[in-house]
Amino acid sequence: MTEKGNFHRWGQPLGVLDGIPIAVKDNFNTAGIETTCASNMLKGYISPYNATVVQKLLDQGAVLLGKTNLDEFAMGSGSTDGIFGPVRNPWSYSRQYKEKTPPKSSSENEESDWVITGGSSGGSAAAVSSFTCFVALGSDTGGSTRNPAAHCGVVGLKPTYGLISRHGLIPLVNSMDVPGILTRCVDDAAVVLGSLAGHDPKDATTIQDTFKPFELPNLIDVRKLCIGIPKEYHAPGLSSEILALWSKAADLFKDAGAKVIEVSLPHTRYSIVCYHVLCTAEVASNMARFDGLEYGHRADMNKSTESMYAATRREGFNDVVRGRILSGNYFLLKQNYENYFIKAQKVRRLIANDFVKVFGSGVDILLTPTTLSDAVPYMEFIKEDNRTRSAQDDILTQAANMAGLPAISIPTALSKRGLPVGLQFIGHSFQEKQLLTVAKWFEKQVKFPMIQLEEVKRHDCSVFQHQKSVSFL
Amino acid sequence: RAAPHPAPGEGGEGRAYGWLRASTLRSGNAVHPPFASPATAALASWVPVVGLEIHVQISSNSKLFSGSQVQFAAPPNSLVSFFDASLPGTLPVLNRRCVEAAVMTGLALNCSINKKSLFDRKHYFYADLPAGYQITQQRVPIAVNGSLSYSLCIDNKMSQMVTKTVRIKQIQLEQDSGKSLHDDARSQTLVDLNRAGVGLMEVVTEPDMCCGEEAAAAVRELQLILQTLGSSQAIMAEGQLRVDANVSVHHPGEPYGVRTEVKNINSVRFLAKAVDYEIQRQIEELENGGTILNETRSFDSKLGCTIPMRDKEGKQDYRFMPEPNLPPLILYDAKSLPVNMNHQQVVNIDWIRERLPDLPSVKRAKLVELYGILPEHSFTLLNEDGLAEYFENVIKQTQMKPKKVIGWILNDLLSYLKQHALTVKDSPVSSFLLADLLNLLERREISSSAAKQVLEELWKGEGKTPLKIVKEKKLELIQDQKELEQICQSVIDRQEDEVIMMVLGRNQKVLNKLIGLVQRATRGRSNPVLVKQILEKKLSE
């Protein structure tokens, strides 16, 4: 804790985050600290350098508490498929959930009722949600920050692609990945964004423009806003609860004087298939470096280099990763490239253009649900395979990654089962200030309840004295 | 990849090389097929087709996409950055100097520079390719559609030179791989990543060449151009220039034949040998009713032949994919340059074009024009590193005419250097010393044969000046007319028979003999022109 020592000695904070405890998803490189991506391939791998975003936080004086769990190599939407096991949603142990969800049978272990965090940045969301830290870094490729944020009742920000450096973030899909920010409130997210955003010479995909950190105004004139409600986001499988919540939120803006209109993003339904092709292709490419030669796991196989590669990769990767590599290589074959990869790129362009048209017609912010339902119990989640789950769960968040747009999930209310539900705002490219301003206003209106973890309550009842029981629902 | 020879069925015209002509190719390995009769020899004319893929290491301080140093023969794995080792999470950042080198080279080869070019990943697994893919430019390279002109001597004489041109299909930027050293004794492979990620320009030619000599001459000219530009040192022995040859043969008027790729060629000389061998091999194979496989062959310099490399049956699919971490490379010219940008921030093609140095062909033309020397002379001058500069330095310091100086440079200096395998840089005779000697000759203080003797002494590099050597060896021309006349007279007196023949028929041969005798008597210290005059005068009396 030298940083804190410095603070006390000189009376000067290192930066705006001095002394703030943070957690970092384990797919960010941290110097001298094991970086595993929840995979056998990198188990025991001590990274020699800090990711740019990690370095920036440390330079501000933040204190790194630990690396958080995830789906292996960020592939998944439940944070259940990593070598360290699944992540449990802290809300599973909240009074709110336990009250609403009696155990299935008295003989059954209480343990089997716990719900997932969503993914793949489940560990980071859980860390923030359970008060272990104020800020956590996640990554977002198809919704991996927003999805667990919604399930864990925290704020999850996906910045515009190119705003924050990816140097040191172990990539899933280079053309869609962004570092994600998980916090308890929108103001905190704005502060962290201010520390992280800006050009990095080590990342050629970051924009050159200088970024000006901003503070969010407390009051805004909602009447100037035009909120778009994309009809395609009323997706199959969307729970009636969330649909109702979404509608109420739209009314909230309308009542406050904003213009709320229905819009169309017609190519939304193709985004999952498109994502599947582009993602697996990039995965196949990005995972090619894991051959056991320079670092990471190396199989005990000496017959030939090829056999060593094969054994290493079979032992190092789980089924999900291997499945995506095989698919990706298939799509990249010469005879398939035109029909799959090029086609998917074209569809991607169409999806991105949907947003351009809508935003170009006067819409400031889009309002959508983040997830189809609240968090499901683990036992139910694992009944379907990773690919199926990812395809279902990513539908509402995926398109923003295709288009590179900023998006944020705000905890809105508790479901019938006592679990958090979040709603998503999608903004114009590089207009994070407007996005966060609207999000902050909304956050103020809904007054999402604090999680009531039994242990915490026992030790500090006063914290909950002034807790308003009024919920948005 | 080299431009593919047109697939069978596409046809192509070429220079018809009758079999007899092919056998006079200067490879020294002329092999005659077992013909049944002279009639069939006339029918069996073959057109060899040669294209080249040349990998040029860019001369830069750091690598193409990372900041680690570029250096030859450093301790293994001492020049490897995190990115070079493909550590997860590292990203490529394009090196500006490499882009400039590629633009310079493209301009020098008359290419169109693509103002927008793209980077791609080429995937394959190999120990010296840490990321499992190479970053290259497969879809849109940085430069296309150029040409390279080179000169050849016909019939092994320097007196007749002909200019040929080979079209350049494209130049692309790409990463070099590391090096694998196979330790068979311990069944292991040692990998050195120092070279991994070094910037390369791959220069791909069209299949416009027809023999080893043309290929060698083209590559030699390319080397000179690259060295003049400074974009690469292009030393084959240090792996800075690597050539793969694509060779096929076909009958005139018929479609192009199946081509083979020849690798492991380590010098320009071996390139000519390898190409000619492969042409011969293919012709023999086809003459004997065999077929040519589309394969990769390795040139064995010791045996002077090509042998098939490890089986690459079932061609590799490299699964090309755009490199997502590198935005398109945008270059500007004077017209398209945004107003508020200065040339430090962008690469401006016109700015680079204005600063191109004189290319070898231009330098040669200038030498010929300035000094009145022959084209073949200027060719040799530029072919030896530092020789043209040496020549011009001598010119500056002597009154002797360039046309005479060139003889001393090419015949005396160069042959001595070659004999002792020295470079111009290491010559024990500096341009200053040579100029000094030539001045003595020009002022008629010594004869040309005496000058040659002095030069012999100078080679020893003992630091003596020409004048000193002349004095030591008493090589000064006899200036005293009377003394010379006396010697001539004594020679005439001794050679009665010759004198009679002279009187009778004014025989030139006899006169020369007498001159020679006088030269001997004076140990080279007599001016032959003067001696001739004196003898003629005396004999006419």
Side-chain angles (χ1 to χ4, degrees):
Chain A
M1 299 282 231
T2 4
E3 296 96 313
K4 295 203 72 175
N6 283 341
F7 182 4
H8 289 125
R9 203 178 307 129
W10 300 109
Q12 275 285 90
L14 279 172
V16 68
L17 294 172
D18 192 66
I20 303 291
I22 62 167
V24 168
K25 187 174 181 183
D26 209 16
N27 59 355
F28 285 91
N29 278 277
T30 42
I33 299 170
E34 197 180 356
T35 301
T36 66
C37 297
S39 173
N40 273 320
M41 191 56 91
L42 289 176
K43 188 134 192 276
Y45 172 71
I46 309 287
S47 171
Y49 73 102
N50 278 326
T52 297
V53 289
V54 171
Q55 189 62 53
K56 284 188 169 184
L57 291 177
L58 295 177
D59 288 344
Q60 290 286 324
V63 180
L64 179 62
L65 286 188
K67 307 294 289 294
T68 60
N69 203 359
L70 59 154
D71 283 303
E72 182 162 337
F73 280 110
M75 299 185 204
S77 59
S79 303
T80 53
D81 287 328
I83 56 165
F84 300 111
V87 184
R88 301 187 184 197
N89 193 328
W91 283 84
S92 312
Y93 305 98
S94 68
R95 188 168 65 83
Q96 290 108 322
Y97 176 63
K98 287 188 179 164
E99 273 176 1
K100 299 286 178 72
T101 311
K104 296 231 168 71
S105 72
S106 54
S107 60
E108 226 175 66
N109 198 334
E110 198 186 67
E111 297 284 283
S112 64
D113 282 338
W114 60 270
V115 299
I116 59 165
T117 51
S120 60
S121 312
S124 286
V128 175
S129 173
S130 60
F131 303 117
T132 61
C133 61
F134 284 89
V135 179
L137 285 183
S139 64
D140 196 312
T141 308
S144 293
T145 290
R146 291 161 285 158
N147 176 296
H151 285 314
C152 294
V154 299
V155 171
L157 170 62
K158 173 213 172 295
T160 313
Y161 182 89
L163 184 62
I164 298 187
S165 172
R166 290 181 298 111
H167 173 254
L169 166 60
I170 298 172
L172 173 60
V173 182
N174 283 293
S175 61
M176 295 184 210
D177 288 351
V178 291
I181 298 170
L182 293 137
T183 56
R184 294 201 211 132
C185 65
V186 176
D187 273 326
D188 287 353
V191 169
V192 178
L193 183 68
S195 303
L196 296 182
H199 177 65
D200 183 8
K202 296 193 192 120
D203 179 350
T205 59
T206 53
I207 53 161
Q208 306 270 0
D209 308 10
T210 9
F211 176 80
K212 292 192 206 76
F214 49 79
E215 253 183 58
L216 298 173
N218 280 315
L219 288 167
I220 58 160
D221 191 357
V222 173
R223 288 171 304 174
K224 296 206 190 109
L225 283 176
C226 174
I227 308 290
I229 310 289
K231 64 181 188 197
E232 290 83 5
Y233 279 61
H234 184 163
L238 185 66
S239 79
S240 48
E241 246 191 322
I242 297 192
L243 184 60
L245 205 62
W246 186 16
S247 186
K248 279 203 96 158
D251 290 340
L252 193 73
F253 280 97
K254 216 180 293 179
D255 295 341
K259 184 169 163 204
V260 179
I261 57 170
E262 189 189 72
V263 296
S264 176
L265 300 169
H267 298 94
T268 304
R269 61 197 171 111
Y270 302 120
S271 75
I272 290 300
V273 173
C274 175
Y275 176 76
H276 178 72
V277 172
L278 296 177
C279 172
T280 53
E282 283 222 32
V283 164
S285 179
N286 292 333
M287 298 297 145
R289 64 188 60 210
F290 296 106
D291 54 16
L293 274 178
E294 298 87 12
Y295 50 82
H297 176 65
R298 182 195 284 215
D300 196 10
M301 167 66 75
N302 287 320
K303 271 198 275 202
S304 70
T305 316
E306 278 80 21
S307 64
M308 191 275 280
Y309 284 163
T312 296
R313 289 161 73 81
R314 187 182 58 247
E315 292 167 13
F317 293 138
N318 71 5
D319 285 350
V320 179
V321 177
R322 291 208 311 254
R324 294 200 193 187
I325 292 173
L326 288 170
S327 301
N329 277 324
Y330 176 78
F331 296 135
L332 289 177
L333 289 176
K334 217 166 171 184
Q335 70 256 33
N336 294 328
Y337 186 74
E338 182 75 36
N339 289 330
Y340 289 96
F341 191 87
I342 299 281
K343 259 297 155 49
Q345 292 277 50
K346 291 179 178 173
V347 173
R348 182 178 181 177
R349 169 72 62 199
L350 292 174
I351 293 169
N353 280 344
D354 280 354
F355 288 98
V356 171
K357 284 200 200 104
V358 164
F359 283 138
S361 69
V363 172
D364 297 307
I365 301 280
L366 294 169
L367 168 62
T368 80
T370 311
T371 56
L372 295 173
S373 70
D374 57 3
V376 300
Y378 174 71
M379 297 308 285
E380 201 184 301
F381 185 78
I382 56 174
K383 285 186 188 155
E384 300 271 18
D385 66 58
N386 182 296
R387 190 158 72 83
T388 310
R389 284 295 181 198
S390 298
Q392 293 164 346
D393 300 333
D394 285 349
I395 186 74
L396 300 169
T397 48
Q398 216 296 299
N401 296 86
M402 287 288 195
L405 296 171
I408 189 167
S409 177
I410 303 295
T412 307
L414 294 182
S415 68
K416 276 202 293 276
R417 291 161 63 219
L419 293 171
V421 170
L423 289 179
Q424 173 178 238
F425 294 93
I426 305 174
H428 290 227
S429 232
F430 299 107
Q431 301 302 319
E432 272 79 357
K433 185 169 181 189
Q434 179 179 64
L435 178 70
L436 291 172
T437 301
V438 174
K440 179 173 170 176
W441 180 86
F442 183 73
E443 176 188 60
K444 262 223 184 98
Q445 307 305 309
V446 300
K447 299 191 188 52
F448 182 79
M450 194 182 297
I451 184 175
Q452 289 168 31
L453 290 170
E454 307 251 279
E455 285 68 30
V456 176
K457 192 183 177 203
R458 232 180 289 138
H459 289 121
D460 187 1
C461 295
S462 60
V463 174
F464 297 94
Q465 214 94 78
H466 306 287
Q467 174 68 46
K468 282 210 167 97
S469 57
V470 172
S471 72
F472 184 53
L473 267 176
Chain B
R1 315 243 101 214
H5 296 205
E10 281 177 48
E13 48 175 30
R15 285 132 277 158
Y17 269 70
W19 174 246
L20 291 173
R21 169 77 166 122
S23 70
T24 63
L25 290 171
R26 288 202 299 144
S27 63
N29 290 339
V31 177
H32 302 276
F35 282 124
S37 70
T40 49
L43 288 170
S45 60
W46 290 96
V47 181
V49 177
V50 180
L52 301 175
E53 277 168 36
I54 305 155
H55 288 89
V56 180
Q57 239 183 43
I58 298 173
S59 171
S60 61
N61 289 327
S62 56
K63 297 184 180 179
L64 183 56
F65 294 117
S66 72
S68 41
Q69 210 193 333
V70 178
Q71 194 190 306
F72 182 65
N77 293 312
S78 60
L79 304 171
V80 184
S81 69
F82 296 153
F83 174 77
D84 301 334
S86 81
L87 293 197
T90 52
L91 298 170
V93 181
L94 185 55
N95 179 335
R96 183 212 169 92
R97 157 67 189 164
C98 292
V99 175
E100 290 171 348
V103 171
M104 269 198 285
T105 306
L107 291 173
L109 294 177
N110 306 305
C111 295
S112 315
I113 307 295
N114 283 326
K115 292 227 201 63
K116 176 173 164 182
S117 60
L118 306 171
F119 290 100
D120 304 286
R121 293 184 180 179
K122 176 181 180 182
H123 300 86
Y124 61 94
F125 284 99
Y126 204 70
D128 61 22
L129 196 67
Y133 59 83
Q134 175 202 36
I135 301 179
T136 177
Q137 294 189 298
Q138 187 246 0
R139 287 168 293 157
V140 186
I142 191 168
V144 292
N145 296 338
S147 64
L148 168 65
S149 294
Y150 58 96
S151 297
L152 281 182
C153 325
I154 305 183
D155 299 334
N156 217 359
K157 295 195 192 95
M158 278 304 275
S159 51
Q160 280 189 65
M161 302 205 71
V162 62
T163 304
K164 294 202 173 229
T165 304
V166 54
R167 290 167 299 161
I168 301 294
K169 177 165 187 254
Q170 66 186 53
I171 301 177
Q172 66 205 50
L173 282 168
E174 58 183 36
Q175 294 175 301
D176 207 346
S177 65
K179 281 210 194 121
S180 300
L181 297 112
H182 300 289
D183 179 3
D184 292 320
R186 294 188 196 80
S187 301
Q188 63 182 7
T189 301
L190 305 168
V191 181
D192 177 12
L193 295 179
N194 281 349
R195 202 183 66 181
V198 170
L200 293 178
M201 296 180 283
E202 182 174 336
V203 179
V204 182
T205 77
E206 298 285 7
D208 292 344
M209 294 159 284
C210 68
C211 61
E213 189 185 359
E214 289 192 357
V219 169
R220 184 75 194 106
E221 186 67 9
L222 179 64
Q223 265 182 321
L224 290 175
I225 292 174
L226 292 167
Q227 287 162 355
T228 303
L229 293 173
S231 56
S232 172
Q233 291 175 300
I235 303 173
M236 277 182 91
E238 289 185 9
Q240 292 163 349
L241 189 109
R242 311 198 283 263
V243 184
D244 298 335
N246 291 294
V247 180
S248 75
V249 296
H250 64 276
H251 287 301
E254 281 184 19
Y256 279 33
V258 175
R259 66 178 165 99
T260 62
E261 188 184 12
V262 181
K263 285 172 136 28
N264 194 36
I265 299 167
N266 298 324
S267 74
V268 173
R269 208 166 52 90
F270 287 151
L271 171 62
K273 277 196 164 157
V275 167
D276 288 336
Y277 174 87
E278 183 59 18
I279 291 171
Q280 309 277 26
R281 184 193 75 83
Q282 290 194 10
I283 289 172
E284 267 179 50
E285 184 70 34
L286 292 170
E287 291 282 341
N288 291 334
T291 53
I292 305 298
L293 293 170
N294 177 213
E295 61 178 351
T296 303
R297 299 176 72 89
S298 174
F299 179 65
D300 184 322
S301 52
K302 290 202 193 77
L303 300 175
C305 63
T306 64
I307 46 179
M309 281 177 83
R310 211 163 42 126
D311 179 43
K312 275 196 187 175
E313 210 81 54
K315 280 217 213 115
Q316 273 241 23
D317 191 328
Y318 291 111
R319 290 162 283 126
F320 285 98
M321 185 186 92
E323 168 55 69
N325 292 316
L326 292 169
L329 174 58
I330 309 292
L331 304 174
Y332 297 90
D333 56 23
K335 253 193 277 179
S336 66
L337 193 64
V339 180
N340 52 349
M341 279 207 230
N342 65 358
H343 75 82
Q344 302 279 30
Q345 287 179 307
V346 298
V347 174
N348 181 341
I349 301 168
D350 287 333
W351 191 88
I352 293 175
R353 194 198 310 268
E354 283 160 24
R355 283 156 187 75
L356 285 178
D358 277 346
L359 293 181
S361 52
V362 172
K363 277 196 202 161
R364 285 186 205 115
K366 278 190 178 171
L367 286 172
V368 169
E369 204 193 302
L370 214 52
Y371 302 116
I373 56 176
L374 294 175
E376 323 50 290
H377 294 161
S378 73
F379 201 87
T380 312
L381 280 181
L382 257 63
N383 212 36
E384 280 318 307
D385 195 23
L387 192 60
E389 212 186 301
Y390 187 102
F391 169 69
E392 289 192 289
N393 283 338
V394 171
I395 297 290
K396 274 189 220 146
Q397 300 169 86
T398 182
Q399 300 99 15
M400 186 183 278
K401 289 222 164 58
K403 279 189 183 164
K404 278 175 83 177
V405 173
I406 194 75
W408 286 92
I409 299 284
L410 296 182
N411 299 331
D412 298 272
L413 179 82
L414 192 58
S415 61
Y416 180 83
L417 290 175
K418 289 284 175 211
Q419 253 175 44
H420 294 82
L422 289 171
T423 60
V424 172
K425 224 184 340 147
D426 299 326
S427 170
V429 181
S430 67
S431 58
F432 173 76
L433 284 178
L434 184 61
D436 206 11
L437 174 62
L438 295 181
N439 283 339
L440 290 178
L441 184 57
E442 194 67 6
R443 291 198 294 267
R444 294 184 217 272
E445 287 178 34
I446 55 172
S447 70
S448 79
S449 63
K452 289 203 202 283
Q453 288 180 58
V454 174
L455 197 51
E456 285 267 346
E457 273 301 308
L458 285 175
W459 288 130
K460 294 187 189 153
E462 284 163 4
K464 297 187 196 149
T465 64
L467 194 60
K468 189 152 181 244
I469 297 172
V470 165
K471 288 219 157 68
E472 275 179 9
K473 294 193 166 228
K474 297 203 184 24
L475 294 171
E476 311 92 325
L477 277 182
I478 300 171
Q479 304 292 358
D480 187 349
Q481 182 87 358
K482 277 223 155 64
E483 195 188 335
L484 209 52
E485 285 183 0
Q486 267 179 9
I487 296 173
C488 286
Q489 190 59 55
S490 64
V491 166
I492 289 172
D493 291 340
R494 282 203 297 270
Q495 308 294 119
E496 283 182 20
D497 300 329
E498 279 80 0
V499 171
I500 292 164
M501 287 180 72
M502 281 290 324
V503 169
L504 287 176
R506 291 216 150 266
N507 197 324
Q508 188 59 36
K509 245 204 217 162
V510 175
L511 188 60
N512 285 340
K513 185 177 175 192
L514 290 174
I515 294 172
L517 286 170
V518 172
Q519 282 279 35
R520 229 188 319 145
T522 61
R523 282 183 301 111
R525 293 172 60 211
S526 52
N527 183 339
V529 173
L530 206 54
V531 167
K532 185 168 176 223
Q533 279 176 6
I534 296 171
L535 285 175
E536 281 179 340
K537 188 157 158 248
K538 284 193 179 285
L539 291 169
S540 64
E541 286 165 0

